[in-house]
Structures are given as C-alpha cells and as structure tokens.
Amino acid sequence: MTDTVSRRSALRLLGGAIAVATAATTGLVFPSHAYASMQARPEAGAGPRVEGLLAKLTLDEKISLLHGATDPNSLGQAGYLPGVPRLKIPPLRLTDGPAGVRVTAHATALPAPVLLASAFDPELARRYGRVVGREGRALGQDVLLSPMVNLIRTPYAGRNFETFSEDPLLAGDLVAAEIKGIQGEGLVATVKHFAMNNQEKDRNAIDVRVDEQTMHESELRGFEAAIGAGAGAVMGAYNKVNGTFACENKTLLTDVLRGQWGFDGWVMTDWFAAHSTVAAITAGLDMEMPDGTYFGAPLKSAVRNGSLPESYVDRAVRRILSVMDRFGLLDGSAPPRPDRDAKAGAAVALEVAKAGATLLRNEHRTLPLTDGSIAVIGPTGTLPFVSGGGSAHVVPDGADSPLDAIRARAGSGTRVTYTLGEDLFGKALPASALTPAFDSEGQRVDAGKTWEYDGSLAVAGTDEWTFVLHFSSAPTARPQVLLDGEELFPLAAGYGEYFSGGLVSADPDGLSVRRKTLTLAKGAHTLKITAAGGDAGLLFRLRRITGATRAQDVTDAVSAARSARSVVLFAYEDATEGVDRTTLQLPGNQPHLIDAVTAANPRTTVVLNTSSATSMPWLARAGAVLQMYYPGQEGAAATTAVLFGDCDPGGRLTQSFPVDDAHHPVAGDPLRYPGVNGTEEYSEGIHVGYRWYDAEGVRPLYPFGHGLSYTSFSYDDVSARWNGHGLDVTFTVRNTGRRDGVAVPQVYVGRSPDLQLDQAVRVLGGYRRLALRAGERRRVTVRVDARTLSSWDARRHAWVLGTGRRAVWVGASSGDLRLRTGAVVRR
C-alpha cells in the first residue's frame, strides 16, 4: 500500500464498489458515503506518522492515551488526555459545548440547539458550529463533546433542548452542517450519545429494546449523517441497547458504525459509562472517560495475562492518533489558536434566536406590540433565561433582562410596568413565626465556626409550603435543615447535585439554591439548622413560598394586567441533564397565573422559555404564544425584536406539541416510557413524533413544522418528477401580505405500494427556508433523496427503495398540507 491509500481505505473502496453493483441489480439504496469512499483519498489511520509513533510507544504510554486523567492546568473543562511528551504527542482537552463552550471562562452562550433547529436552516447551523469551533480553540480546547443528535422521542426527556428534532431527516441535515462548522475551525466534533439515549430517567441502566428497522429509520439516521460529515469522534451512551451496554455493544460500535458507515475516528464513553475492559475494547470502544477505572490498570493486566491481544490496544490508539493527525495536532500544522471574537459570537447568537423564534398563536392582532402601556409579568421577565442546566451551561459575557430590552425598545412614551407573578426564590420567613427569632435573610457563619439553631416554626393554617435555601458554599457543604426531624435538603445521589437545573439553581446574587415542597399542618413544627463555615465562611438564607404568598403574587399580576393595554407574560420550565420532566404542565403556580392574567387582559402574549413541548390548558384565552426555548445570551434582544415586529418570527416546531399528558406517543404505556423493571420497548416502531399522530389519528396541540408569521403565504402549482436519484418537487410560494416575512414550506411523501414493510403515513422529504418581500413570488424546487424514499429491510440488513406511485404533499406544517400531487418512483 502507498502512503495515501491504506489497507482499510482499500477495503472501503472495494466495499463501495460492491455497494454500487448491488444497488444496480437489487434496487437497494446505500448512503452517500458509500459512493464517496470510492475516491482515492488518504485514510486517517494509515499515515506513516501515526504508524511510526505507534511503534515507539510503550504499553503504558499507549494505555495512557485510552483514558482520561486530571488536567494540571484545567479551565474547568469536562475531560483531559495527557498525551506523551516524550514523543511530542500533545494533550487533548475535551469540553462540553451543545450551546457554547462550557468552561469556567467566558464564552458565547448560544441559543439551545432546539431553537437553532427551529430555523430549518442548515447553513445557519454551520455558522453556529463555527462560533463554537473558533471559541473552543481560542479557549485552549481540542475536542468538543457535541453535537447531540438523539431524537426527541418523549416530551419528558430532560435534554430535549440540547438536541434538534423528532424527525430523522431534519436532525441529520442539521448535525452534519454543525459538524462541518465546528471542524472547519479545527476543533474535533463528537457526535453523541450513540445510541438510543432518548431519556434521562434511569439512563445509566435502562435497557432499550428496539428492532433493526426502527433503529435505522429513526435514531441512527442522524448519527450516520454526522459520520458522513466527517465527525472525528463518537460518544457512546449510558443505556443498554437490546441487552448490552451501548459502550460495549459490538452491533453498534463495530457492525454499524464502522462496518456499515465506514467511521474511522474514535469512540469514547460518556462520563463513567464504561462497564468492562475486554468486552468494551473488543466491541469497538477506544477511550474511557473521565478516568481509567476499566481502561487503566485493568487494561494493562488484560494484555499482560494474555486475555486481550495488544493489537486491540494498538487499534484504539491508532484511531485516536489518526484523528489528531488529521487535525494537525501531531506535526504542528494546526493553525494558531485564534482570539475569541465575542462580538461576532454575539451576532450569531442574536441571529439564531430571531430565526428560531416560533410564534404558535396570534389572535386579534395581539402581536406585534403597538403603542400603549405594557405590563411585563413573570420571573424570567427580569431574570435572563440563558440556557438549561448540566452540560449545556455556559458562562456568557453578559445577558440583558427582557424587561430592560422591552423598556428600551418601547421608548419613553410607553409605560412599561413589571410584576413578579410567580416567585422563584421565596420570601422571608416571618420573624413572628420563629421561636427563638433569628436572621433567616442573611445568616453568616465565620470560617472554622459552626452555627446551630434549635427552635420552632409556627404555621397559621394548613398550607403547601416550599422552603427555599440560598447558600454560598459548595453543594456538598450546604447547611443541614431539619423540619420535624426530616432533612429538607438531602444531597442528591451520584451526580444529581450537579444536575440541579439551569435557571432555578442559583439566585440573582449568585448563591446556590435548593427547594423542598411539602404540606404543613397548622401549629408548631420543630426546626433545627446546622451550618458549618468551612474554610471560607458561609452565608445562607432560608425563605418560603406558600399558598398565601402565591395568591398575593397572582393578585398583583392581575391588577397590573388590567391597567395595561398589552401584557407580556414570561413563563418558564427549567430542564437539565440527568432529570426528566414529570409533566407537560408548566411548573409551580404558572398555569393558574396565566389563567388569571389572560382573563383580566385578552391581549396577553405568553413567552415560553421551556425546554420542549408544553401543554397549554390556558391557550384559548391567550392572545399570542411565542416559543423561545432557551434563547442564549441575546435572548432578550431577540424576543423583543419579535414582540415589536422588528423581525418576522422565523421558527417552526421541530417536535409535535401534545394536547396533554395523555395524548402523545409514549402516554399510557410504562413499558414504552419510562420502562418497567429496567427494560423499555420502543414499541411505537418507526412511528416517532408526527408519524405517530398520523398513524393513530390523534390531533396534537400544535403539529410538527407549525409556526406563524406576521404576513401570509400562498402555495400553488405543484409538480413532482422522478429524476433517477430522487424526486424533484416544484411549487410556487407567494407572500400575500403587506409585510416581509419568512416561509418554511415543507414537502412530505407518502407510502410506497411496493414495499411489504411498515411505513409511516407520510415522512418529511425536504424543506426550504424562504425570506420573501411583501408580494414576492418564488418558484421553488425541493429535492427528496432516494434515502428518504427508502425503508430499512431487516432481512437484507439494507435500505430498499420504495418504488411505485408515491403521494407528495406541500404545506406549512405536517398538519397544514395545502397541495397534493404524486410521482412514480422507479429503480
């Protein structure tokens, strides 16, 4: 073999040739990389530099490259690989970054990926990736632990905001574009979590039972697109898939990832997701993170005692070094690290937040806001909701509050008032209720000292209380508070303390916050507090939220709403890695607050800063609903621009919004979600998201693809033609209103009459984002590729083209299909 074509490259070339020959005779459809791989190009794992280094490495040095270690100069990133200084193999720093670089230094806090996806714009996703890629390198990082492409399967999943969509095509398009942006800046992208990691509940142990067709037609399509885009690394998931942990699952890591898709990068675990040594590395795992529990001393022992051939260690090292070589990290050819461009990052953050802003409802011309007084209501009206919790948390340069942005935009001629409406951080305990009294609003404990309280709390009447503890120490050193002998704020198990939320886990002063809700009977309750000052001293507050305080907050909000022409009510739902939601309802007293405010003023716009789909029992009385998810550091400016009509709300839903907790794909079946006795069955099969609603005849609250504009659009003159490689669907879109606006026409394709396989009623075949001036007409052609027209045949373990006459629809959403035609698909 030459230096430019390795043995593995040659095998892939041969495989590509076989694929083309097979497709020609059987009608099977193969991924695009099968054709691209026939082009002679250097294989990342075959260069003489990598092989030369591999030959010089000792076994200990090889193993040091296969597991994480402690960074002597950490910037707070997630992981570190020490490198081998003797051979000038540099260290690798690995950082979280689904919505910006997650380190202790400042970085651009981009909107959540689900908001990015709402723009239906792969080019915007590429520029989003470029911001993260540049900043990652500027902040000394080498590997980005992102993007996440797991499908939105259940509306309860705690990380739905970190991913893109319930639709495989849209998710695949966006992840591929973002990876190209990230890696174009020289940062290695890691697509995650491979695979079927579609919930946080029991994520470390749940066994997902899923058939082959379902896997390939739903979850795996996004991962395949990421590999096709050149992702350097893959992160294995926590969960099991068909009885085997994902990080030691040969079917996933070797047969699919490398055998079918030709992946030549490396596979790492999610943090602490390894469960074995020999089984994992032979299945295809290359790196354990963040330490060497299994790939440290146990790996060396396995090689020394003969239970593992050293060739498996070499294989894993080769994969890692090959990616490093590809990115110029071994020979010094990587470009110099750039400086952060905070201004450019902020500009992209603002553009994405505007583009993804999704207007769900707009009755009686509630929006755009016009002249007259405005009442802003809700805690996130003054507290910027930048991002969700867990791996998505970013330290931004700054973030304005929506209230300030609205006041600035409205100008001095418009009266803008603010009312809390819903209390996040509690009110002071009444001094008269404490015996003996103490300063519950600011108790300080000096370093090295311990402060204790042993008294009682008097409750005037039976009520629901939420105790809110604010404290300045590390989570594990917070004060102990016992009420009637019960500890109110026990430490969460495992890493639960680090997944306590994004918005609600810290107060505006920067103190950490924990909550406990319980019903208290009338009378006296024992209260004991023990607080240790530790090395640096401690400040803590103990507050409460009760039925009485909630009622007063709502009364104040209703009064403000009645006194204003328009109301902007900010509602929130705080999601984080490690925890699933338990309901689609907004948390706390918010549903009652919205009911009361909309009854008082029908010109109320509800702005939703939520992670995923939300039920809206209050919808009929709301004038408008604007879905902003977690909009990043420029969220206030973007939200304000949309509210006042300075830009069109350009977003569309990338997930179906159910009516309530009883009407969605995993409702009423605990085996489907969250699992029973550690096992979960994806019994919905290929009917994920809007496909389930179509198959079951269930009407969602809002369908996939839905989103309103401040103008109107017509769709006309559709035709569809088979071109030998896919369908060309051509139609005309016209802006029929008086304002410029954004349309997102979507093409859906129906079943093949020739396939004896389970098929969806219709699937998204393509889409186009169009900015049209008032009155502008544009002729559009959307290509539906052969892959989208194919189904996975588990008997052949291959894609099969769905021939015959296929129905084609064009519309504004999966529930608003305005044009229909058809075309014959042929082999």
Side-chain angles (χ1 to χ4, degrees):
M1 295 294 167
T2 67
D3 289 343
T4 57
V5 182
S6 69
R7 179 174 181 273
R8 187 148 40 125
S9 289
L11 290 174
R12 288 179 64 193
L13 296 180
L14 177 60
I18 292 172
V20 173
T22 305
T25 57
T26 68
L28 302 185
V29 178
F30 288 83
S32 58
H33 69 71
Y35 302 94
S37 68
M38 292 186 295
Q39 302 173 19
R41 63 180 179 83
E43 177 69 5
R49 184 178 299 107
V50 170
E51 297 300 333
L53 287 171
L54 192 58
K56 296 174 184 176
L57 287 165
T58 66
L59 178 60
D60 285 337
E61 288 170 336
K62 292 175 187 176
I63 290 174
S64 74
L65 294 173
L66 302 187
H67 65 82
T70 300
D71 187 351
N73 299 296
S74 176
L75 195 60
Q77 80 277 359
Y80 174 75
L81 200 72
V84 181
R86 179 177 71 87
L87 297 176
K88 297 183 180 180
I89 298 174
L92 290 180
R93 289 180 168 87
L94 302 85
T95 179
D96 289 317
V101 181
R102 184 177 180 253
V103 292
T104 55
H106 290 288
T108 300
L110 292 158
V114 70
L115 184 55
L116 165 69
S118 300
F120 278 69
D121 188 348
E123 173 55 26
L124 187 60
R126 186 187 66 82
R127 291 195 285 118
Y128 182 104
R130 287 191 64 186
V131 171
V132 183
R134 178 188 175 100
E135 293 205 344
R137 294 207 70 242
L139 292 167
Q141 305 303 301
D142 307 291
V143 181
L144 183 75
L145 305 173
S146 186
M148 175 179 173
V149 76
N150 301 100
L151 285 191
I152 298 176
R153 174 180 177 262
T154 167
Y156 303 120
R159 300 180 81 172
N160 281 349
F161 68 95
E162 285 190 57
T163 192
F164 299 109
S165 177
E166 68 186 23
D167 181 75
L169 171 67
L170 181 62
D173 288 350
L174 297 172
V175 76
E178 185 180 344
I179 284 171
K180 289 175 182 176
I182 294 164
Q183 296 195 157
E185 297 296 316
L187 194 68
V188 179
T190 307
V191 64
K192 64 184 187 182
H193 311 84
F194 192 60
M196 319 311 292
N197 185 179
N198 305 115
Q199 67 190 59
E200 294 300 282
K201 184 172 176 56
D202 301 327
R203 68 177 183 174
N204 292 303
I206 194 73
D207 182 8
V208 174
R209 302 299 174 95
V210 56
D211 67 81
E212 190 175 319
Q213 182 184 5
T214 297
M215 275 202 297
H216 281 272
E217 291 192 25
S218 59
E219 177 91 345
L220 296 189
R221 184 163 183 180
F223 286 98
E224 184 182 2
I227 302 311
V234 169
M235 180 187 290
Y238 286 113
N239 51 279
K240 296 177 182 177
V241 178
N242 294 328
T244 304
F245 280 109
C247 286
E248 54 189 50
N249 192 308
K250 180 178 180 295
T251 299
L252 289 174
L253 303 186
T254 295
D255 299 346
V256 173
L257 186 60
R258 299 189 186 277
Q260 293 179 16
W261 300 344
F263 177 59
D264 55 11
W266 88 80
V267 179
M268 72 181 77
T269 66
D270 205 334
W271 268 225
F272 302 103
H275 292 273
S276 66
T277 300
V278 174
I281 198 168
T282 56
L285 183 69
D286 303 308
M287 181 188 292
E288 179 189 7
M289 278 291 168
D291 59 22
T293 301
Y294 294 95
F295 274 27
L299 183 58
K300 182 177 180 180
S301 295
V303 173
R304 291 299 192 209
N305 66 28
S307 60
L308 179 74
E310 191 171 347
S311 59
Y312 281 100
V313 173
D314 291 347
R315 182 180 74 174
V317 172
R318 182 180 289 110
R319 290 167 175 171
I320 295 165
L321 292 180
S322 295
V323 176
M324 294 178 70
D325 195 30
R326 170 181 155 196
F327 282 78
L329 299 176
L330 297 182
D331 65 352
S333 63
R337 292 191 183 272
D339 294 327
R340 270 195 72 214
D341 189 341
K343 184 176 180 181
V348 172
L350 177 60
E351 181 182 2
V352 171
K354 288 179 179 178
T358 306
L359 185 60
L360 300 179
R361 175 180 173 88
N362 192 21
E363 298 296 316
H364 314 301
R365 297 184 179 179
T366 299
L367 292 180
L369 296 175
T370 55
D371 293 339
S373 58
I374 301 170
V376 177
I377 298 172
T380 47
T382 56
L383 188 66
F385 202 153
V386 175
S387 65
S391 299
H393 180 71
V394 177
V395 182
D397 294 299
D400 293 335
S401 79
L403 177 63
D404 289 342
I406 289 171
R407 280 178 169 157
R409 173 60 179 80
S412 58
T414 299
R415 182 172 65 93
V416 179
T417 62
Y418 174 74
T419 307
L420 181 62
E422 169 81 353
D423 191 354
L424 285 181
F425 301 111
K427 295 173 174 60
L429 292 175
S432 60
L434 296 167
T435 305
F438 76 95
D439 183 8
S440 65
E441 273 297 280
Q443 189 64 48
R444 295 186 180 275
V445 184
D446 293 336
K449 302 292 185 179
T450 298
W451 181 89
E452 294 182 340
Y453 176 84
D454 190 348
S456 65
L457 171 69
V459 176
T462 300
D463 198 355
E464 181 182 88
W465 280 56
T466 296
F467 287 91
V468 188
L469 177 68
H470 305 229
F471 56 97
S472 61
S473 62
T476 54
R478 63 171 174 256
Q480 182 186 65
V481 182
L482 283 77
L483 185 74
D484 295 331
E486 177 188 353
E487 187 171 354
L488 293 184
F489 310 103
L491 293 176
Y495 277 76
E497 284 298 326
Y498 299 93
F499 303 134
S500 58
L503 172 76
V504 301
S505 62
D507 71 13
D509 297 335
L511 299 185
S512 297
V513 174
R514 296 293 184 271
R515 296 168 179 79
K516 174 69 174 183
T517 299
L518 66 167
T519 299
L520 294 187
K522 178 181 178 180
H525 298 263
T526 62
L527 179 64
K528 295 184 178 182
I529 304 173
T530 303
D535 294 333
L538 169 69
L539 169 67
F540 76 90
R541 295 189 283 258
L542 185 62
R543 293 179 172 177
R544 100 292 191 195
I545 303 168
T546 68
T549 67
R550 291 188 186 98
Q552 186 59 55
D553 288 338
V554 171
T555 298
D556 293 344
V558 167
S559 177
R562 285 177 177 153
S563 301
R565 170 175 168 75
S566 299
V567 176
V568 180
L569 193 159
F570 286 85
Y572 78 94
E573 174 262 318
D574 189 30
T576 182
E577 177 183 356
V579 181
D580 278 353
R581 303 160 70 191
T582 57
T583 178
L584 299 180
Q585 284 260 28
L586 291 168
N589 201 41
Q590 291 181 106
H592 178 60
L593 170 67
I594 298 173
D595 269 336
V597 168
T598 53
N601 189 331
R603 292 184 57 81
T604 296
T605 298
V606 179
V607 178
L608 293 171
N609 291 131
T610 59
S611 67
S612 188
T614 303
S615 61
M616 306 179 197
W618 37 263
L619 181 64
R621 283 206 297 245
V625 179
L626 177 62
Q627 178 67 53
M628 291 299 299
Y629 299 104
Y630 301 154
Q633 68 180 50
E634 303 301 318
T639 302
T640 300
V642 174
L643 290 173
F644 283 90
D646 299 334
C647 67
D648 204 41
R652 304 295 184 267
L653 291 181
T654 70
Q655 58 191 299
S656 308
F657 272 38
V659 171
D660 54 34
D661 288 295
H663 298 87
H664 55 76
V666 300
D669 186 350
L671 192 54
R672 190 175 285 186
Y673 174 85
V676 177
N677 297 326
T679 299
E680 183 175 51
E681 295 183 357
Y682 282 27
S683 54
E684 74 276 15
I686 65 169
H687 305 286
V688 64
Y690 65 88
R691 303 179 186 189
W692 179 87
Y693 289 92
D694 287 343
E696 299 296 324
V698 175
R699 186 183 181 92
L701 180 64
Y702 287 114
F704 172 89
H706 172 75
L708 304 177
S709 167
Y710 289 146
T711 185
S712 56
F713 302 94
S714 67
Y715 296 75
D716 300 292
D717 193 17
V718 64
S719 64
R721 181 181 65 86
W722 172 250
N723 62 21
H725 303 286
L727 289 176
D728 286 334
V729 182
T730 303
F731 52 93
T732 298
V733 183
R734 185 164 71 93
N735 183 342
T736 56
R738 298 179 179 179
R739 296 174 56 108
D740 298 350
V742 174
V744 183
Q746 300 149 44
V747 173
Y748 294 84
V749 182
R751 294 165 169 155
S752 161
D754 298 339
L755 288 183
Q756 302 304 309
L757 298 169
D758 193 18
Q759 298 179 68
V761 174
R762 64 183 64 86
V763 299
L764 180 69
Y767 51 88
R768 185 69 57 81
R769 182 180 178 87
L770 302 173
L772 298 177
R773 297 184 302 276
E776 182 181 358
R777 178 194 304 266
R778 192 174 304 174
R779 192 74 173 155
V780 177
T781 296
V782 172
R783 168 70 57 85
V784 182
D785 64 22
R787 168 58 65 81
T788 302
L789 297 168
S790 301
S791 294
W792 183 266
D793 189 336
R795 294 171 302 172
R796 303 188 192 186
H797 307 295
W799 291 96
V800 182
L801 182 64
T803 55
R805 185 163 188 82
R806 308 288 293 265
V808 177
W809 295 267
V810 177
S813 75
S814 65
D816 183 9
L817 303 173
R818 304 185 185 183
L819 304 175
R820 178 170 178 167
T821 186
V824 176
V825 175
R826 300 183 178 88
R827 289 192 178 119

